[in-house]
Amino acid sequence: FLLPARVAAILPAMFKTQNLHVREIVRLSSPRVVKSAFPPTPEATATVAMSRERIIRILNQEDPRLLVVIGPCSIHDYDAAIDYATRLAAQKGELATDLIVVMRVYFEKPRTTVGWKGLINDPHLDDSYRINEGLRLARRILLEVEKDRGQVDAGDAVDHAVVGPGDEREAAALEALDQ
């Protein structure tokens, strides 16, 4: 049974059931590419390594200090994040005998169903969804917080949908951007 050419031409559009609301598909930069664009500095690496040691000692009850993870709900702006890190780092020294202060750094808002989804997903807060730019900006913030402020940070890759369904290795690699 053959359909007329004009009917056959419109059938795929009539029966489309997937990606109905997708405007475009853009390949994400791999963690390797992002990390090579913003390589870790010796200062940032030292901050992370020393802080991990201190945190492990606290968790193993070998250090009596209190571990405090503090920060905004979600990083939305580069300048605000750096300002917060600078202020936190200034206080950290005064509190060092009693506390280990870790800056909370979240770049996503996965539970938000309406509105802004976070710096990685929409770095310009304009619904442009330039995720590759968001990944680079997030990496830059983390490195500057660690290197220039000597402030360790803690985050959570909570929206693995950013890398696509079923690719847990890539999601884990994204979380490793901070390492």
Side-chain angles (χ1 to χ4, degrees), residues 26-31 131-132 135-136 161-164 170 174:
V26 177
R27 181 173 293 276
L28 293 180
S29 298
S30 72
I131 296 172
N132 282 323
L135 289 169
R136 283 172 172 70
V162 167
V163 295
E170 191 73 8
L174 269 179

Side-chain angles (χ1 to χ4, degrees), residues 123-150:
H124 303 290
L125 291 99
D126 62 359
D127 294 330
S128 61
Y129 297 100
R130 295 184 180 132
I131 296 172
N132 282 323
E133 288 179 39
L135 289 169
R136 283 172 172 70
L137 183 56
R139 173 71 173 169
R140 182 175 156 214
I141 289 170
L142 293 172
L143 286 175
E144 289 192 30
V145 166
E146 294 160 356
K147 174 182 132 325
D148 297 336
R149 310 304 175 292

Side-chain angles (χ1 to χ4, degrees), residues 97-174:
T97 57
D98 299 313
L99 307 173
I100 295 290
V101 178
V102 176
M103 181 175 164
R104 179 181 191 236
V105 182
Y106 278 19
F107 295 114
E108 304 168 89
K109 296 182 70 67
R111 289 170 293 282
T112 299
T113 56
V114 176
W116 186 65
K117 294 291 286 175
L119 184 125
I120 288 177
N121 286 293
D122 191 14
H124 303 290
L125 291 99
D126 62 359
D127 294 330
S128 61
Y129 297 100
R130 295 184 180 132
I131 296 172
N132 282 323
E133 288 179 39
L135 289 169
R136 283 172 172 70
L137 183 56
R139 173 71 173 169
R140 182 175 156 214
I141 289 170
L142 293 172
L143 286 175
E144 289 192 30
V145 166
E146 294 160 356
K147 174 182 132 325
D148 297 336
R149 310 304 175 292
Q151 178 64 54
V152 72
D153 49 65
D156 189 8
V158 290
D159 191 356
H160 293 178
V162 167
V163 295
D167 197 345
E168 291 79 16
R169 290 173 301 161
E170 191 73 8
L174 269 179

Side-chain angles (χ1 to χ4, degrees), residues 84-102:
Y84 186 88
T86 301
R87 292 172 187 243
L88 192 58
Q91 296 296 314
K92 183 176 71 169
E94 294 178 32
L95 305 170
T97 57
D98 299 313
L99 307 173
I100 295 290
V101 178
V102 176

Side-chain angles (χ1 to χ4, degrees), residues 3-135:
L3 295 172
R6 65 186 169 109
V7 174
I10 64 167
L11 276 179
M14 288 177 54
F15 295 112
K16 184 175 180 178
T17 60
Q18 295 181 357
N19 296 328
L20 297 177
H21 303 285
V22 174
R23 279 188 268 158
E24 66 180 321
I25 296 175
V26 177
R27 181 173 293 276
L28 293 180
S29 298
S30 72
R32 180 176 290 140
V33 167
V34 176
K35 286 177 82 170
S36 70
F38 297 94
T41 63
E43 298 89 351
T45 301
T47 297
V48 171
M50 287 186 302
S51 298
R52 285 181 180 170
E53 286 277 326
R54 292 177 183 139
I55 292 168
I56 289 169
R57 285 197 309 268
I58 289 172
L59 295 175
N60 287 333
Q61 298 180 341
E62 298 165 1
D63 185 327
R65 291 180 288 180
L66 183 64
L67 174 62
V68 178
V69 180
I70 185 169
C73 172
S74 200
I75 299 294
H76 71 284
D77 174 77
Y78 169 83
D79 292 329
I82 298 304
D83 179 60
Y84 186 88
T86 301
R87 292 172 187 243
L88 192 58
Q91 296 296 314
K92 183 176 71 169
E94 294 178 32
L95 305 170
T97 57
D98 299 313
L99 307 173
I100 295 290
V101 178
V102 176
M103 181 175 164
R104 179 181 191 236
V105 182
Y106 278 19
F107 295 114
E108 304 168 89
K109 296 182 70 67
R111 289 170 293 282
T112 299
T113 56
V114 176
W116 186 65
K117 294 291 286 175
L119 184 125
I120 288 177
N121 286 293
D122 191 14
H124 303 290
L125 291 99
D126 62 359
D127 294 330
S128 61
Y129 297 100
R130 295 184 180 132
I131 296 172
N132 282 323
E133 288 179 39
L135 289 169

